[in-house]
Every structure is written in C-alpha cells, then in structure tokens.
Amino acid sequence: MKKAEIITEMIAKAGYSKRAFAEKVGIPPTTLQSMLTRGVGKASIDNVIKVCKGLGLSIDELERRANENQSLAEVYYSCKQVPVLGSIAVGEAILAEEYIERYEYVPEHVNVDFCLRIKGDSMIGARILDGDIVCIRRQLDLENGEIGAVIINGEEATFKRFYKLNDSIILRSENPHYQDFIFSKEDMCAVKILGKAMYFISNVR
C-alpha cells in the first residue's frame, strides 16, 4: 500500500474529511490533496511531518507500513533538535539549560534557534493557536508586519505582529478582541525583541 493510501485511510477512520483534517493540522486543503494525488515523496517534509503528527504516526511507521521504493526516513533524519523554552530570562542567557523544557524536531533547512509555546488566543488570525509551538530565529529587530517573540516590561514572552511607525512601536495581536500595544519613542525601552517567528508546529484539536 502506498503512503498516500495509508494516510487517506487513516484520515477517514479518524472521522475527518480531507478538508477538515487539513485545517486541523494547519495546511491548505489543496496542499493535502496534492500530497495524496502526486505522492507523499514529492511533498514538503514540513507538511508530511504535520500530517503524520496529526495522525499519531511517525514517519518511520509510515515507511514500514508502505511498500514504496522512495524512503522518507532519510529526509526525516535530516531534522535537527531545537530547544523549547519555558520561563525565559530577558538577558543573554536565554538558551541556558535551566530554561529548556524539552526539544522539538525541526527540518534542518529551517533557520531557527529556539521554540516557545503559544498561550492563549491572541494570534488565531495567523492560524497560530493555544498550545502550538513557534520556532524563533534570534534577532534584535523586526521588519514591519513580521511576527516576533517579544518581552514587554520584563514580563513573560509573547507573540505579536510588529510595526514601527512615526517613532512609535505598535505590537498587534491577530485577534480583534485584543487592543494594540503602542509605545512612544520614550517608552520603547519597555520592548525587547527576542526574534522572528519562522515556523510553527500545530497540535490537532
């Protein structure tokens, strides 16, 4: 049985339509359909990992259950481990061992330094939901419109869309129920940018 057939069968047994399952794991339905028609081996490894995690299936297990010549295991093992941080410090010791909760597998080509877990619903408009893991590339500034991890007034890290306009910083949620944080030039020191959100790993809900 081919990998695409296994995935199709497991999606049906889980009680999802293909569209509903794609939305659950955070990929476009057309992307899932392409994966199932063109072949899993031709799909982005990022999306394959999301689909497998959504089915509670490792890529190794998918490989064992399939009867195809092309191996996905080699691609899977090109992933790297990235630390998932818990309560983090504002200073340079952000990646110190005491802040690391565990490690997450991320594709080797994704340029990130650490991960944080989303808390709450402030970024739902960007399809980033409570409990998702967001992978961050460390940098000290952001371009307008980019999503970054920031610390405000020394409190716990949060995710916001960043804008710098007319000598002010605006931190905007992706949820209309939350007001913008606006900092004038005199107050900008209250905002510390930890890095740019590059990649996220979504849980099935």
Side-chain angles (χ1 to χ4, degrees):
M1 181 181 285
K2 292 185 176 181
K3 300 180 185 79
E5 293 172 345
I6 294 170
I7 290 171
T8 300
E9 183 179 276
M10 291 185 71
I11 290 172
K13 285 183 177 179
Y16 291 105
S17 67
K18 292 176 185 176
R19 175 175 292 276
F21 180 77
E23 291 174 352
K24 285 284 186 182
V25 300
I27 63 175
T30 53
T31 299
L32 176 62
Q33 186 59 41
S34 176
M35 181 189 300
L36 298 179
T37 54
R38 297 180 65 235
V40 175
K42 295 181 181 179
S44 159
I45 188 60
D46 300 7
N47 291 329
V48 176
I49 291 173
K50 287 180 182 179
V51 167
C52 286
K53 287 188 70 173
L55 294 170
L57 182 71
S58 71
I59 291 187
D60 267 352
E61 178 63 20
L62 179 62
E63 189 71 32
R64 284 195 295 270
R65 293 176 59 176
N67 182 23
E68 294 180 14
N69 294 326
Q70 186 174 10
S71 173
L72 282 175
E74 293 180 5
V75 183
Y76 178 71
Y77 287 121
S78 68
C79 290
K80 60 187 176 184
Q81 287 185 314
V82 179
V84 179
L85 305 184
S87 298
I88 59 176
V90 178
E92 289 301 316
I94 185 172
L95 295 180
E97 185 175 350
E98 60 263 32
Y99 302 125
I100 298 174
E101 287 187 347
R102 61 185 182 85
Y103 289 85
E104 187 71 48
Y105 282 97
V106 177
E108 188 69 42
H109 70 273
V110 178
N111 180 17
V112 295
D113 299 296
F114 63 93
C115 302
L116 294 172
R117 187 184 303 279
I118 286 284
K119 295 180 181 179
D121 61 356
S122 67
M123 298 304 290
I124 58 174
R127 299 178 66 88
I128 304 175
L129 309 179
D130 184 53
D132 287 350
I133 300 293
V134 180
C135 304
I136 308 298
R137 183 178 69 200
R138 289 191 71 178
Q139 56 186 65
L140 300 177
D141 203 0
L142 295 165
E143 297 292 332
N144 280 350
E146 291 182 334
I147 295 174
V150 298
I151 290 179
I152 304 171
N153 293 322
E155 297 181 358
E156 190 173 9
T158 186
F159 290 90
K160 292 289 181 282
R161 200 173 288 281
F162 176 90
Y163 298 93
K164 186 181 287 186
L165 302 168
N166 300 324
D167 292 327
S168 296
I169 287 176
I170 300 172
L171 301 177
R172 180 165 295 162
S173 298
E174 285 287 338
N175 184 330
H177 293 107
Y178 291 83
Q179 293 184 341
D180 292 347
F181 289 91
I182 302 175
F183 300 87
S184 65
K185 186 175 182 179
E186 294 76 18
D187 299 327
M188 286 183 184
C189 60
V191 178
K192 178 177 177 60
I193 296 170
L194 300 179
K196 178 181 176 181
M198 302 295 294
Y199 182 87
F200 79 94
I201 301 164
S202 181
N203 295 319
V204 175
R205 293 169 178 80

